[in-house]
Amino acid sequence: MDIHEYQAKDLLKKFGVNVPRGGIAYSPEQAVYRAQELSGERVVVKAQIHSGARGKVGGVKICSTDDEIAEAATWMLGRKLVTHQTGPQGKLVGRLYIEEATDIAQELYLGFVMDRTEERVVVVASAQGGMEIEDISANEPGSIIRSVVDPAVGMQAFQAREIAFQLGLEPGLIPQAVKQITGAYRAMDEMDAAMLEINPLVVTKSGEIVALDAKLSFDANALFRHPEISELRDKSQEDPRETYAEDRGLNYIGLEGHIGCIVNGAGLAMATLDMIKMSGGEPANFLDVGGGASPERVLMSFKAVLNDPKVEAILVNIFAGINRCDWIAEGVVRAVKELNLTMPLVVRLSGTNVDEGRKVLAESGLDITTTETLAEAAEQVVAAWKATGNPSTTAEAAQ
Ligand code: GDP
Ligand code: MN
């Protein structure tokens, strides 16, 4: 789960990380009012969306007068900002952060990521901050510092000091930098964050180290330990397909293809996506119906999959252990009837009550293709989808 910049800064502050003063605004009038509360000469108006690279698309504006603030706020609020991180549909600006402006002497990059190979948090830092980490690795690969944290002892002062020296900071700045780096690590660790990116971490002209931007993502599986963080969720920033499914307890991830998938078990779902790709198709989603799925739950899964207008064919793949194939089949039949499904549908059932399940499908008289194996199912659904000749098929094939 992602949160907004102002929320991340608020949390980081509790761990001793320096952040500029600021306030949230939902209207141009409120933006001006917030700026007056800060009483600096200049403020920065910042669009709050779950994406970086806002600066490049007008989502970060330094303003000196009330008119400029109101104008920037009017332009940003209600606008969909499209960055390279949002996808083409963009993200809606519903709130602004009004922050005192900082005089920047140097922009640094400081990131913390969970490295799955190392099985540890890795600190990534660079003296070439401001640009995206992808651009730093492309343009200034030599500037990237990597430091692995031992979870048994956490980020030690000597390790943070080493990073600060490698960043080329003046000796006078090192103690401050150590405080920022160790504080940021503690925030990541204690809040079960999956990723923390401070870009830029700046050195100000008056010699202070300040986190000017902050991006914080949480491991959804650990949120039950942090109810106050769960509260920060902003559904307007999420993929609506995922929100619909998640609110109904379905494990769903939206993808870019045209073949909708309804599967039980995360492992089988991954295998199903692979098989669809190997058969020349592209999956539209990952959906795990879970164990013991009732016909209603199967119907709900069809609705979740059909929420995506890109879906042009559906593959149901169930290897029933705790599940019952007859319940799944009943759900499939109900879905086809109640949702007036006309697109190709391939069902592969295996395991508990498979004969009863197949019987339900056969006796329904509906146009449902059934197969014995996953390989056949994947091939058939891709072939049936291609045979529909839908415009998206031909448009993408031509690219
Ligand atoms: P992002 O584009 O979404 O990553 O938003 P950031 O908060 O990182 O802002 C983008 C860029 O705007 C920063 O890298 C800075 O160069 C600039 N910027 C942001 N806040 C300030 C500020 O207070 N003072 C100055 N001088 N520049 C700022
Ligand atoms: Mn940034």
Side-chain angles (χ1 to χ4, degrees):
M1 184 188 84
D2 294 337
I3 60 173
H4 287 295
E5 172 198 5
Y6 75 94
Q7 297 166 328
K9 283 177 166 169
D10 209 41
L11 292 168
L12 287 173
K13 206 158 67 176
K14 299 194 173 86
F15 293 88
V17 176
N18 257 340
V19 295
R21 291 187 309 137
I24 196 81
Y26 296 89
S27 69
E29 297 73 32
Q30 227 176 1
V32 171
Y33 184 68
R34 289 278 172 262
Q36 285 163 357
E37 287 174 338
L38 295 170
S39 71
E41 279 196 3
R42 292 179 310 153
V43 296
V44 192
V45 178
K46 307 187 82 174
Q48 297 300 290
I49 52 170
H50 288 182
S51 168
R54 296 159 300 168
K56 288 197 187 108
V57 297
V60 177
K61 284 235 169 72
I62 300 182
C63 303
S64 313
T65 66
D66 289 357
D67 284 349
E68 280 176 25
I69 296 164
E71 193 185 323
T74 307
W75 187 84
M76 285 181 208
L77 283 167
R79 185 172 295 268
K80 279 202 166 162
L81 290 182
V82 180
T83 75
H84 65 87
Q85 294 176 6
T86 59
Q89 72 285 356
K91 291 212 166 158
L92 185 68
V93 184
R95 35 189 125 164
L96 304 173
Y97 194 45
I98 315 299
E99 203 176 60
E100 62 187 358
T102 306
D103 285 327
I104 302 175
Q106 194 191 354
E107 300 194 38
L108 312 166
Y109 177 94
L110 179 64
F112 299 80
V113 285
M114 189 59 72
D115 187 307
R116 291 180 191 281
T117 316
E118 302 270 6
E119 298 180 353
R120 278 166 172 57
V121 171
V122 172
V123 185
V124 180
S126 164
Q128 309 294 326
M131 54 180 150
E132 307 303 311
I133 187 65
E134 294 82 7
D135 297 330
I136 301 176
S137 22
N139 305 330
E140 304 277 349
S143 79
I144 294 181
I145 301 157
R146 257 179 118 259
S147 181
V148 182
V149 184
D150 182 340
V153 292
M155 164 75 72
Q156 299 289 292
F158 80 85
Q159 189 177 5
R161 206 173 298 125
E162 203 171 82
I163 295 167
F165 273 116
Q166 284 179 296
L167 283 169
L169 295 174
E170 283 173 28
L173 290 170
I174 303 287
Q176 265 199 72
V178 169
K179 188 172 170 233
Q180 305 303 305
I181 297 168
T182 50
Y185 174 80
R186 268 200 313 120
M188 161 117 188
D189 185 47
E190 287 183 25
M191 296 192 293
D192 293 314
M195 190 274 297
L196 166 60
E197 187 182 63
I198 300 177
N199 186 26
L201 176 72
V202 303
V203 181
T204 69
K205 288 190 177 149
S206 52
E208 275 184 296
I209 297 184
V210 182
L212 217 57
D213 189 11
K215 201 172 165 196
L216 195 50
S217 305
F218 293 94
D219 181 343
N221 292 314
L223 280 176
F224 73 97
R225 302 206 287 209
H226 309 280
E228 70 295 347
I229 293 170
S230 313
E231 293 290 308
L232 303 178
R233 185 172 169 197
D234 179 358
K235 288 187 186 176
S236 78
Q237 299 294 309
E238 295 174 2
D239 182 333
R241 298 175 299 174
E242 291 180 11
T243 312
Y244 177 93
E246 197 180 303
D247 286 348
R248 287 158 184 80
L250 295 167
N251 220 332
Y252 176 102
I253 295 168
L255 303 169
E256 300 309 317
H258 301 286
I259 299 180
C261 305
I262 297 173
V263 188
N264 73 299
L268 190 61
M270 299 290 275
T272 306
L273 304 192
D274 283 347
M275 291 302 278
I276 289 174
K277 276 181 172 270
M278 280 170 67
S279 307
E282 286 293 333
N285 69 280
F286 167 108
L287 187 150
D288 171 12
V289 293
S294 62
E296 287 73 26
R297 198 168 162 78
V298 175
L299 174 62
M300 209 155 67
S301 303
F302 271 88
K303 286 183 185 164
V305 166
L306 292 168
N307 262 337
D308 183 348
K310 291 200 306 299
V311 171
E312 294 166 349
I314 294 180
L315 171 58
V316 177
N317 180 25
I318 302 291
F319 189 90
I322 307 168
N323 273 303
R324 294 176 43 170
C325 288
D326 51 333
W327 282 9
I328 301 282
E330 277 173 38
V332 170
V333 169
R334 272 187 62 185
V336 174
K337 288 183 179 163
E338 290 180 30
L339 307 174
N340 296 317
L341 198 77
T342 53
M343 63 181 68
L345 170 62
V346 177
V347 180
R348 180 257 179 163
L349 296 176
S350 179
T352 309
N353 292 0
V354 63
D355 293 334
E356 290 86 335
R358 292 211 177 115
K359 198 161 155 239
V360 170
L361 294 180
E363 287 176 356
S364 71
L366 297 168
D367 185 13
I368 301 171
T369 307
T370 55
T371 72
E372 298 261 336
T373 68
L374 168 55
E376 286 170 310
E379 274 169 26
Q380 298 235 16
V381 75
V382 173
W385 167 63
K386 285 187 174 161
T388 61
N390 274 322
S392 51
T393 324
T394 30
E396 272 159 38
Q399 276 178 12

